[in-house]
Amino acid sequence: LGMVLGVALAALVTAVLSTYGLGFSLPVASLVVFAVLAALPNVARVTPPGLNEPARALALCAAPPHLAASVLANAAIVATMLVLAWLAFRRQELISAAS
């Protein structure tokens, strides 16, 4: 439900902002990879939804399971995505809204 809601919201926002040249593209490959990884029991805990269980344990003042592995894996995912975004957009020009 969350993925469907997120895609629908992204489509709605980009439809509204299309007058400013913002386009909508669905990263199907990334969505499929994360969905498959999240379905695997031993891998699911190091994906972004895997932070739910440690967060719940911390909120209840209990010992969080696999907290370090989840945080480190998610930090690595974020760093990888930042590098990939930089590589993809490094030669793009910024267009000002005034032009």
Side-chain angles (χ1 to χ4, degrees):
L1 179 64
M3 193 178 301
V4 173
L5 185 61
V7 169
L9 184 60
L12 178 67
V13 168
T14 53
V16 171
L17 297 176
S18 64
T19 57
Y20 298 106
L22 185 66
F24 177 74
S25 65
L26 189 62
V28 177
S30 299
L31 292 174
V32 169
V33 167
F34 275 113
V36 168
L37 288 176
L40 300 172
N42 291 330
V43 179
R45 66 184 184 161
V46 295
T47 60
L51 288 170
N52 289 338
E53 189 178 349
R56 188 177 304 115
L58 285 173
L60 296 173
C61 297
H66 59 79
L67 177 64
S70 295
V71 170
L72 290 174
N74 281 283
I77 289 170
V78 168
T80 302
M81 293 300 142
L82 285 172
V83 168
L84 291 175
W86 176 76
L87 288 172
F89 295 112
R90 67 183 169 191
R91 296 183 186 201
Q92 297 287 328
E93 290 186 30
L94 294 176
I95 301 172
S96 67
S99 60

